[in-house]
Amino acid sequence: MSYRAPVPEMLFTLRHVAGLDAVDPDDAEAILTEAGRIAAGVIAPLNRVGDRHGTPFADGQVTTPPGWREAYRTFTEGGWNGLSAEADHGGQGLPKLIEAACTEMWNGANLAFGLCPLLTQGGIEALAAHGSDDLKARYLEKLVSGAWPATMNLTEPQAGSDLALLRTRAVPAGDGTYRITGNKIYITYGEHDLADNIVHLVLARLPDAPAGTRGISLFLVPKVLPDGTRNDLRCSGIEHKLGIHASPTCSMAFGDQGGATGWLIGQENKGLACMFTMMNAARLNVGLQGVGVAEAATQRALAYAQERRQGKAVGAAEATSPIAAHPDVQRMLLTMKASTAAARAICYLTAAALDASKGPEGQAALDRASLLTPVAKAFATDLANEVTSLGVQVHGGMGFVEETGAAQLMRDARILGIYEGTNGIQAIDLTARKLPLNGGGTARSQIAWMRRAAEGLLKAGDPAFGHMAARLRDGIGSLDRATSHQLAALTSNRPEAALAGATPYLRLFGLTLGAACLARSALAASAARKAGETDPAHAARIALARFYAENLLVAASGLEQAVVEGGAFTDDAALALAV
C-alpha cells in the first residue's frame, strides 16, 4: 500500500474550514493534484528504500539513499521548493495555505525526504525578513529554488532547549564578516550530497554579548564561500536513530582552522528574534508532518483491515469477515481518520492566519497565528504518535514486523513531538506567552469562532449530526472555564499553577478546536447534500465529525479537571518521585 495524497479532503478543508479564497478553485485543484502526483509517484516509492539504506557517513561525507538526488532534482526543478516565496526571489507567490497542503503531501509520502525542504522554507523566511540586501541578493534566490538547502543550527551538547547556555562564538573579522567557532548537534541535513552548497543558519555569541538569550546573534555560514572555497566547517558525525533513517542528523564542527566565515543576519544580540521567524515556520511545518504521517498510517491500516479476513462480523453472511467490519477495529480506524482530519484542519487554520496577517487584518491575524502555532505543532504531532501506534495495532502482529511498513511510520513519527521545541515546551508557550495576548482576547476570539460552529449545527438541525452540537457545546464550556483558570493563575502571579496544567490545557484546546473544525466541515457537507449533491464523501464527512464529537471530544471534561484541579501534584512531586 503506497501513499496517495487525499486531494479532495484537502481541498474541502481548505475551502470550507480554513477559508481559502485567494486562489481560483480550479487552480488550487490543479496545483494539489500535480503535487499529489509527485508525492505518490516520485517521493513515496523512496520511503522504504531510505529507511533501509540510511545515510552512510565516511570521511566527512554523507551519502543519501539511492534515488534521493534524482527525486530532489525533480522536486526543485518543478518549483515546489518556493511555493509561498515572493516572485521577486524566484518563488511562486502562492498563499501559505496552498504550501501547507503540499507540505503535508511531501511528508506523508516520505517524512525523511520532506525534512530537507522543510528546513529550507524556514531559512527563506528568516533571511527574507531579517537579512541584509547583500545577503538576500546572494543567497535568497538559491534558497527559494532549492539549489542550496538551508539548516538550523541551535542545539549544542550542553544546551538543548535552553538556548541561554549556548557557547558557540562569533568574532568580528574587521571586514564585515565574523569567525564562527563551536559545535552543534542534531543538525538535520547538516551534510549531504543533494546540493553543492548548504546554507547554515547558526546561533552564536559575540565576545562582549550579554549573558543569557539576550546575547545571541544569528549568522549565515555557507558550506562553500562566495569565492568557491570550502568554509571552515565540517560534519563530525551522524546519529543512529529510532526513525527517519534517511534524514542525516549531523554533529557540526565550526572553526577547526581558526573560524568559519559567517555574515550577521539582523542585528547583533538580536538573533533569537530572527531565529524565531524560522522556528515558527518550522513548527507549523512539523505539525503538517504529523498530519502527513498520520494520513499515511490511516491509509495503510484501512487497506490492510479491508483485506485481512478474520472472525465473523455480526450479521455477516460469510464465514469470515474483513476485520474492518468488526466494531472495535472500526473504532480504531475512525479514531485514526477523525484525528487526522482534525489535525489537518488546525494546521490549515494556522496557515490561513499567517496569510491573513499580510492583509487588512494585520496584527490581529498574526496574533491568531501565534496562538495557534503551538497547538498545531503539539496537538498534530501527539496525534501522529497515537495514530501510527493505532496503525500498528490494526495490523496486529503484522504491524510489529517491518514487512507492512506500519512499524516504520510509528518509528518515524516519534521524533515529531521532540524536535522544533518539545511538545511540553509548546504547552508552556501556549499558556505563558500566547494565552495572555491582548489580555486573553485572542484566545477568547478563537473560542467564539468555535461557538459559532456549535450554533451553526443547532440552526441546521440535520438529524445526521446526532449529539454533535451538544458535545461541542460541552467541550467549548470546558475549554472556556480552563482558559479562565489559566489566565487567572497568570494574572495572580501563580505561574506554577498555570504551568502544571499547561499540557492538558493544550490538549483540551486542540481537541475542542478540532471538533469545531470538523463541525464546520459537516455543516458544509450537509448544505451540499441539501443542495442536491450526491457525492458520498459528504455523508462520510458528517459521520466522521459526529464520531469525533461523540467519542473523542467527551474527554474534554476530564482534561478540564486536570487543568483546574490537577495542579496540586507539584506540591508532592519530589516526595512521590523520591521513592
Side-chain angles (χ1 to χ4, degrees):
M1 166 63 190
S2 185
Y3 171 82
R4 291 291 181 271
V7 173
E9 285 311 305
M10 290 176 162
L11 288 168
F12 197 86
T13 304
L14 289 173
R15 293 168 181 164
H16 298 291
V17 181
L20 177 67
D21 57 11
V23 177
D24 179 83
D26 291 338
D27 290 343
E29 183 173 2
I31 293 168
L32 265 60
T33 298
E34 178 60 15
R37 186 186 70 81
I38 298 294
V42 177
I43 301 175
L46 300 176
N47 196 34
R48 292 293 298 278
V49 174
D51 185 59
R52 292 173 176 175
H53 185 273
T55 53
F57 175 71
D59 300 323
Q61 305 296 314
V62 171
T63 303
T64 53
W68 230 249
R69 283 182 290 176
E70 293 79 7
Y72 187 72
R73 189 179 306 117
T74 298
F75 179 83
T76 55
E77 289 178 352
W80 298 106
N81 198 71
L83 287 178
S84 68
E86 295 181 9
D88 291 346
H89 301 133
Q92 306 291 329
L94 290 168
K96 198 74 180 172
L97 256 177
I98 293 292
E99 184 178 70
C102 293
T103 298
E104 178 193 331
M105 293 187 204
W106 315 139
N107 289 279
N110 188 332
L111 192 63
F113 182 93
L115 269 166
C116 186
L118 183 150
L119 268 296
T120 305
Q121 286 177 31
I124 292 168
E125 298 207 12
L127 189 58
H130 305 288
S132 66
D133 290 342
D134 179 63
L135 283 180
K136 290 178 185 178
R138 191 182 304 165
Y139 289 99
L140 201 47
E141 188 171 329
K142 291 288 191 179
L143 290 176
V144 169
S145 70
W148 294 351
T151 72
M152 187 190 309
N153 286 248
L154 287 77
T155 308
E156 298 179 6
Q158 80 291 341
S161 299
D162 188 356
L163 297 178
L165 301 177
L166 292 182
R167 296 175 185 165
T168 298
R169 288 174 57 82
V171 178
D175 60 357
T177 66
Y178 297 77
R179 297 295 175 264
I180 313 298
T181 57
N183 295 282
K184 300 288 185 177
I185 61 173
Y186 301 153
I187 309 307
T188 301
Y189 278 91
E191 176 60 39
H192 56 81
D193 58 3
L194 298 181
D196 58 11
N197 199 2
I198 301 171
V199 179
H200 299 285
L201 273 68
V202 183
L203 287 181
R205 292 186 183 281
L206 295 167
D208 58 351
T213 57
R214 293 181 301 131
I216 297 175
S217 301
L218 180 63
F219 300 89
L220 185 152
V221 188
K223 174 182 175 179
V224 179
L225 294 168
D227 64 4
T229 61
R230 179 69 183 260
N231 207 349
D232 184 13
L233 61 90
R234 64 184 174 87
C235 173
S236 56
I238 63 171
E239 303 295 340
H240 300 280
K241 311 184 296 289
L242 174 68
I244 53 170
H245 292 158
S247 169
T249 301
C250 303
S251 300
M252 301 297 298
F254 295 87
D256 285 348
Q257 307 300 321
T261 300
W263 285 264
L264 181 70
I265 296 178
Q267 301 177 14
E268 292 185 350
N269 303 324
K270 302 293 184 182
L272 203 56
C274 301
M275 184 59 83
F276 265 113
T277 299
M278 188 176 189
M279 289 176 67
N280 283 333
R283 285 173 174 176
L284 170 57
N285 285 335
V286 171
L288 289 160
Q289 286 189 300
V291 177
V293 74
E295 174 66 35
T298 301
Q299 290 183 16
R300 193 174 294 271
L302 180 58
Y304 180 82
Q306 290 171 336
E307 294 174 359
R308 170 67 168 163
R309 305 183 73 87
Q310 186 170 313
K312 181 180 179 181
V314 176
E318 298 177 286
T320 60
S321 303
I323 62 172
H326 296 291
D328 189 60
V329 176
Q330 291 174 340
R331 173 179 289 275
M332 288 190 286
L333 293 169
L334 285 168
T335 298
M336 295 172 74
K337 190 170 183 178
S339 297
T340 302
R344 172 182 294 122
I346 291 172
C347 288
Y348 289 7
L349 272 185
T350 308
L354 289 170
D355 286 332
S357 70
K358 300 175 183 178
E361 272 198 90
Q363 188 62 45
L366 189 59
D367 288 345
R368 186 165 69 252
S370 296
L371 173 76
L372 292 177
T373 294
V375 180
K377 193 277 184 186
F379 187 69
T381 58
D382 278 344
L383 288 184
N385 278 286
E386 294 167 21
V387 167
T388 54
S389 180
L390 278 173
V392 171
Q393 190 72 20
V394 170
H395 282 79
M398 289 300 296
F400 196 69
V401 299
E402 295 289 346
E403 179 182 338
T404 60
Q408 182 196 339
L409 294 173
M410 184 177 174
R411 288 188 285 102
D412 285 352
R414 192 60 192 90
I415 187 59
L416 300 179
I418 298 173
Y419 60 24
E420 296 309 332
T422 67
N423 286 358
I425 288 175
Q426 303 304 316
I428 293 170
D429 182 45
L430 175 64
T431 284
R433 298 184 183 91
K434 305 305 173 55
L435 195 54
L437 284 171
N438 303 304
T442 302
R444 295 296 187 194
S445 294
Q446 195 62 53
I447 292 172
W449 183 89
M450 300 180 209
R451 281 203 176 94
R452 289 194 291 275
E455 292 164 1
L457 292 172
L458 288 170
K459 185 177 179 180
D462 190 330
F465 292 163
H467 300 291
M468 199 190 313
R471 296 294 82 78
L472 181 54
R473 284 189 301 175
D474 291 344
I476 294 169
S478 289
L479 176 61
D480 196 9
R481 290 186 292 272
T483 299
S484 296
H485 173 272
Q486 295 294 81
L487 287 170
L490 292 171
T491 55
S492 62
N493 198 28
R494 293 185 294 113
E496 72 287 350
L499 295 178
T503 290
Y505 178 75
L506 187 148
R507 180 72 175 208
L508 174 58
F509 200 115
L511 185 68
T512 311
L513 179 58
C517 289
L518 295 188
R520 287 177 178 268
S521 177
L523 283 166
S526 177
R529 292 211 301 176
K530 288 179 181 177
E533 293 188 23
T534 58
D535 185 351
H538 292 319
R541 290 167 184 136
I542 295 171
L544 201 66
R546 178 176 178 177
F547 173 85
Y548 187 98
E550 296 178 350
N551 291 273
L552 305 183
L553 183 57
V554 291
S557 60
L559 290 166
E560 176 196 353
Q561 291 178 37
V563 174
V564 175
E565 302 171 2
F569 73 83
T570 58
D571 298 334
D572 300 318
L575 177 63
L577 294 172
V579 178

